[in-house]
Amino acid sequence: LGKKPSELPEAFLQLIARDSSGKILSYQQQKLTQAALGSWEELQLIYQAKEEQTVEVSVVNSSARVSAYFDDLVLIQEPP
């Protein structure tokens, strides 16, 4: 049996929406919480675009010493 991790990684789901000139219209993050220590945690962001724009979604782990694993990334685009 593996040891339960004790340090929470600085890891998150991130969304950045930009207009056609590159101006940021929305910036969202959902960070891992203590619930993620030794278990799975679902991260979810919801964004509704009101005009044509570029949306970038990424998973980030900015921890130098603690690993974070992300599975099953799903993006759903619904028509207006």
Side-chain angles (χ1 to χ4, degrees):
L1 294 173
K3 186 176 115 179
K4 185 176 179 179
S6 60
E7 187 177 347
L8 185 67
E10 180 67 28
F12 49 90
L13 176 64
Q14 176 176 280
L15 179 146
I16 303 171
R18 300 176 193 270
D19 67 12
S20 60
S21 70
K23 177 184 171 191
I24 294 177
L25 302 171
S26 179
Y27 178 82
Q28 298 180 36
Q29 280 187 349
Q30 185 179 17
K31 295 182 178 185
L32 290 177
T33 67
Q34 293 293 325
L37 288 176
S39 186
W40 293 98
E41 180 176 21
E42 180 177 348
L43 302 179
Q44 181 178 36
L45 295 173
I46 297 173
Y47 180 72
Q48 182 176 2
K50 301 196 180 346
E51 58 190 44
E52 187 173 315
Q53 53 197 247
T54 302
V55 178
E56 176 186 324
V57 177
S58 54
V59 289
V60 179
N61 180 8
S62 59
S63 301
R65 301 173 317 148
V66 183
S67 297
Y69 301 97
F70 296 93
D71 289 3
D72 303 325
L73 178 64
V74 176
L75 301 175
I76 300 171
Q77 181 178 342
E78 297 178 352

